[in-house]
C-alpha cells in the first residue's frame, strides 16, 4: 500500500444496501461465476473452511507475527520469501516455485486450469535493513513495522490455503497463490510486472491482492509517475564566475512553473515536488541541482497530461535560465522516470467487484468500495479483472515504525478473503 493512500485519496464509501446486494445476486453475465456466494456458503466443504477460518484465527495471527519478524525491505525480500515458500510447501500447494523477480508461487488445482485466479499479498516493506522488526503484543494490539501492511495479507493468504486444503474444497477453476515482491515505493510493482509480463503471461483471468487491513474492495487504481530531475552546469566561484547560468536557478524557475499547473479536481489529479538537493557551498555556483517529483491520478489521460505539463515547465525553465545569463546550453537537464504505476479501474458492475461486495454481504459484513495504489494497478491498466481487498482487523500508521494492528474480529477479513477466493474460482 502506498503512503497517503488513506489521507491522500478521496475514498468513496458505498454502504451496501439490501437492494444492491439483491440486485447483484440476481444479475448474471458471461463473466459471472455460476455459483453465487449465497449458494457457496451452504456447500458443506466451504462452510467447514469458513468455520475453521474463524476458529483458527489465532493461528493466522501467529503466522502474521512470524512473517513480520523476518525483515523484507523492497529488493531484499528473499528471506521472507523463503519462509513463505516453506509454508506453501508444508500446506501442500503444487508446483511451489520462485520466479526471476523473487515472487513465490504455488498452485491449488481445480477441475480445469482455467479460469485461473491469482490471490496475492506482497512480501516487501518500506522499512530499511536494520529496522527492529520484533512484534510486541499488548492485549488485542500488535505493534511492529509492516504488521498490517502487508504481513496481514500474507497471513490471510496462508490461512486461505490452510483451510481450503483441510476442508478439501474443490473448485472448477484453479488458483495460484503468490507472495510477491516489489509493491512498495521504488519497488515500483516489479513483482506483478514480472508476473503479468513473464511468469504467468496471459494465464491470469482474475486477480486479487490482499493488502492492508479492514474489509473493503478497492476497484480504482490511482496511478503515479515519479521523476528524479537533474539540472547540470559547469559551476564556478560565486564572485569570480558570476554571470554563469545556475542549475539551481533553473530548478527554482521549474518549481515555480510546476506550482502554477492547473489540474482537474475530478478525477483527482495531483503533483508534488517532494525532495530537492544539490550545490556544494554557499560561495559556489552549483554544478548540479536535483528534485524528485510525484504526480497521481486515477485517470490515465489526466496523468499523462500533468506529466506532459511538468516536462514542458522544466524545459522552459532551463531555456529561461540560460537566456537570463545570455548563453544557451550552459545548464542542461535530465529527467529520469523512477516510478511508474499505471492508473486504471475495474467497473463497479463487473463480476469481480460484485463478488467482492457480495461475499462480504453474505457473511454479514459491510464492505466499502474505494481507491488506492496497489499491485492491482497493473492488471487494472491491462483490463484484467482485478481488485484489492483488506485482510480484516484494524491497521494504524502504516509505513511508520509505530505501525500497529488491532486483531479485534480480524477473522472477518480471513473469511471474506477465503469466500471470495472460492467464489472467483467458479466458472
Ligand atoms: Zn501494502
Amino acid at each position: 500500500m502506498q503512503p497517503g493512500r488513506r489521507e491522500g485519496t478521496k475514498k468513496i464509501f458505498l454502504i451496501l444496501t439490501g437492494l444492491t446486494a439483491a440486485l447483484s445476486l440476481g444479475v448474471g453475465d458471461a463473466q459471472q461465476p455460476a455459483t453465487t456466494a449465497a449458494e457457496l456458503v451452504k456447500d458443506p466443504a466451504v462452510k467447514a473452511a469458513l468455520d475453521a477460518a474463524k476458529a483458527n484465527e489465532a493461528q493466522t495471527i501467529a503466522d502474521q507475527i512470524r512473517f513480520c519478524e523476518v525483515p523484507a525491505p523492497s529488493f531484499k525480500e528473499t528471506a521472507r520469501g523463503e519462509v513463505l515458500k516453506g509454508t506453501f510447501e508444508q500446506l501442500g500447494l503444487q508446483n511451489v516455485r520462485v520466479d526471476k523477480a523473487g515472487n513465490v508461487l504455488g498452485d491449488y488445482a481445480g477441475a480445469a486450469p482455467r479460469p485461473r485466479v491469482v490471490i496475492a499479498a506482497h512480501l516487501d516493506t518500506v522499512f530499511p535493513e536494520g529496522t527492529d522488526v520484533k512484534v510486541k503484543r499488548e492485549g488485542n494490539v500488535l505493534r511492529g513495522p509492516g504488521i498490517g501492511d502487508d504481513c496481514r495479507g500474507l497471513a490471510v493468504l496462508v490461512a486461505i490455503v490452510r483451510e481450503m486444503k483441510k476442508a478439501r474444497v474443490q473448485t472448477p477453476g484453479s488458483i495460484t497463490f503468490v507472495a510477491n515482491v516489489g509493491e512498495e515505493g521504488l519497488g515500483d510493482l516489479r513483482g506483478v510486472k514480472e508476473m503479468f509480463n513473464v511468469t504467468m503471461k496471459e494465464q491470469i483471468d482474475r486477480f486479487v491482492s490482499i493488502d492492508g487491513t479492514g474489509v473493503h474492495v478497492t476497484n480504482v487504481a490511482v496511478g503515479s509517475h515519479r521523476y528524479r530531475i537533474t539540472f547540470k552546469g559547469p559551476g564556478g566561484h560565486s564572485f569570480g564566475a558570476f554571470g554563469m547560468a545556475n542549475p539551481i536557478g533553473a530548478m527554482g524557475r521549474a518549481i515555480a512553473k510546476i506550482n502554477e499547473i492547473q489540474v482537474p479536481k475530478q478525477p483527482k489529479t495531483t503533483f508534488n515536488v517532494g525532495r530537492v538537493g544539490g550545490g556544494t557551498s554557499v560561495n559556489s555556483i552549483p554544478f548540479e541541482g536535483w528534485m524528485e517529483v510525484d504526480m497521481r491520478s486515477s485517470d490515465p489521460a489526466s496523468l499523462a497530461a500533468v506529466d506532459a505539463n511538468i516536462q514542458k515547465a522544466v524545459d522552459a525553465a532551463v531555456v529561461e535560465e540560460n537566456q537570463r545569463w545570455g548563453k544557451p546550453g550552459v545548464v542542461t537537464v535530465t529527467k529520469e522516470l523512477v516510478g511508474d504505476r499505471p492508473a486504471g479501474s475495474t467497473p463497479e458492475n463487473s463480476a469481480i467487484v460484485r463478488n467482492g461486495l457480495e461475499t462480504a454481504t453474505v457473511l454479514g459484513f459491510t464492505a466499502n468500495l474505494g481507491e488506492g495504489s496497489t499491485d492491482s494497478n497493473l492488471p487494472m491498466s491491462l483490463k484484467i479483472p482485478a481488485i484489492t481487498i483488506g485482510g480484516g482487523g484494524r491497521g494504524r500508521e502504516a509505513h511508520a515504525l509505530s505501525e500497529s494492528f488491532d486483531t479485534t474480529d480480524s477473522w472477518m477479513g480471513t473469511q471474506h478473503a477465503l469466500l471470495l477466493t472460492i467464489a472467483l474460482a467458479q466458472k
Side-chain angles (χ1 to χ4, degrees), residues 248-322:
I248 291 182
M251 184 162 80
R253 292 174 194 272
I255 294 170
K257 285 179 193 297
I258 288 169
N259 286 344
E260 295 303 325
I261 291 172
Q262 298 295 324
V263 283
K265 277 204 173 71
Q266 277 308 329
K268 184 175 175 180
T269 303
T270 65
F271 57 82
N272 182 53
V273 178
R275 290 181 78 210
V276 297
T280 47
S281 72
V282 68
N283 55 347
S284 300
I285 299 168
F287 62 86
E288 185 181 285
W290 58 265
M291 62 182 183
E292 287 176 356
V293 188
D294 159 283
M295 58 208 86
R296 297 174 185 235
S297 180
S298 60
D299 173 46
S302 302
L303 185 60
V306 70
D307 186 305
N309 283 331
I310 285 175
Q311 308 258 0
K312 233 164 61 186
V314 168
D315 292 338
V318 170
V319 170
E320 278 178 22
E321 175 66 16
N322 285 327

Side-chain angles (χ1 to χ4, degrees), residues 1-2 5 122 124 148-150 183-184 211-212 373-374 399:
M1 198 164 38
Q2 277 299 289
R5 170 178 164 175
H122 68 85
D124 61 320
D149 180 16
D150 193 25
E183 193 273 341
E184 298 287 5
D211 195 352
S373 178
T374 67
H399 294 202

Side-chain angles (χ1 to χ4, degrees), residues 7 46 48 54 59 62 124 140 166 170 212 237 253 264 295 299 307 381 383-384 394-395 412 414:
E7 63 280 10
V46 175
K54 183 175 180 181
Q59 175 66 54
D124 61 320
N140 280 347
K166 263 196 304 200
Q170 290 176 359
H237 197 282
R253 292 174 194 272
M295 58 208 86
D299 173 46
D307 186 305
S381 76
K383 309 269 182 227
I384 294 169
R394 197 155 173 194
M412 291 163 64
T414 318

Side-chain angles (χ1 to χ4, degrees), residues 60-404:
T60 305
I61 292 167
D63 281 341
Q64 187 176 344
I65 295 168
R66 180 165 68 97
F67 301 148
C68 203
E69 291 187 339
V70 182
S74 299
F75 298 101
K76 293 188 173 153
E77 300 98 335
T78 313
R80 187 178 288 176
E82 281 299 314
V83 174
L84 266 294
K85 181 168 178 275
T87 307
F88 280 2
E89 283 164 347
Q90 207 179 7
L91 292 173
L93 284 183
Q94 294 169 348
N95 192 18
V96 175
R97 60 211 184 268
V98 180
D99 72 10
K100 235 173 126 187
N103 298 315
V104 181
L105 303 95
D107 297 331
Y108 189 99
R114 309 292 283 260
R116 181 164 296 273
V117 187
V118 167
I119 310 292
H122 68 85
L123 288 162
D124 61 320
T125 73
V126 298
F127 304 101
E129 265 181 313
T131 302
D132 179 6
V133 290
K134 184 93 191 122
V135 176
K136 289 162 199 77
R137 190 164 189 165
E138 300 156 24
N140 280 347
V141 178
L142 309 175
R143 290 184 198 283
I147 189 67
D149 180 16
D150 193 25
C151 293
R152 180 61 193 172
L154 292 169
V156 169
L157 188 77
V158 163
I160 298 169
V161 179
R162 188 181 65 226
E163 304 311 345
M164 282 184 74
K165 278 279 176 194
K166 263 196 304 200
R168 298 174 192 239
V169 175
Q170 290 176 359
T171 54
S174 295
I175 307 159
T176 299
F177 291 92
V178 183
N180 66 276
V181 299
E183 193 273 341
E184 298 287 5
L186 296 182
D188 204 27
L189 308 188
R190 71 189 173 91
V192 282
K193 283 175 182 170
E194 179 79 9
M195 220 188 301
F196 281 92
N197 296 331
V198 184
T199 318
M200 295 189 69
K201 190 174 162 72
E202 286 167 18
Q203 291 170 41
I204 305 173
D205 300 304
R206 295 158 192 161
F207 177 86
V208 177
S209 169
I210 310 170
D211 195 352
T213 62
V215 177
H216 62 84
V217 174
T218 296
N219 70 315
V220 176
V222 179
S224 63
H225 290 175
R226 289 164 183 171
Y227 286 92
R228 185 174 169 105
I229 300 176
T230 308
F231 302 81
K232 285 194 162 144
H237 197 282
S238 62
F239 189 74
F242 183 73
M244 179 190 284
N246 180 325
I248 291 182
M251 184 162 80
R253 292 174 194 272
I255 294 170
K257 285 179 193 297
I258 288 169
N259 286 344
E260 295 303 325
I261 291 172
Q262 298 295 324
V263 283
K265 277 204 173 71
Q266 277 308 329
K268 184 175 175 180
T269 303
T270 65
F271 57 82
N272 182 53
V273 178
R275 290 181 78 210
V276 297
T280 47
S281 72
V282 68
N283 55 347
S284 300
I285 299 168
F287 62 86
E288 185 181 285
W290 58 265
M291 62 182 183
E292 287 176 356
V293 188
D294 159 283
M295 58 208 86
R296 297 174 185 235
S297 180
S298 60
D299 173 46
S302 302
L303 185 60
V306 70
D307 186 305
N309 283 331
I310 285 175
Q311 308 258 0
K312 233 164 61 186
V314 168
D315 292 338
V318 170
V319 170
E320 278 178 22
E321 175 66 16
N322 285 327
Q323 266 170 0
R324 160 68 180 88
W325 302 103
K327 224 170 146 191
V330 173
V331 169
T332 57
V333 67
T334 53
K335 310 176 199 106
E336 186 195 354
L337 184 68
V338 293
D340 182 8
R341 290 170 175 252
S345 61
T346 304
E348 277 181 37
N349 63 0
S350 65
I352 193 168
V353 174
R354 291 208 312 266
N355 266 293
L357 298 174
E358 183 190 317
T359 45
T361 308
V362 161
L363 292 165
F365 316 146
T366 303
N368 306 310
L369 270 187
E371 57 182 51
S373 178
T374 67
D375 277 323
S376 288
N377 280 43
L378 186 76
M380 282 181 191
S381 76
L382 300 171
K383 309 269 182 227
I384 294 169
I387 53 174
T388 293
I389 62 170
R394 197 155 173 194
R396 288 197 179 85
E397 295 176 73
H399 294 202
L401 290 169
S402 53
E403 183 172 354
S404 69

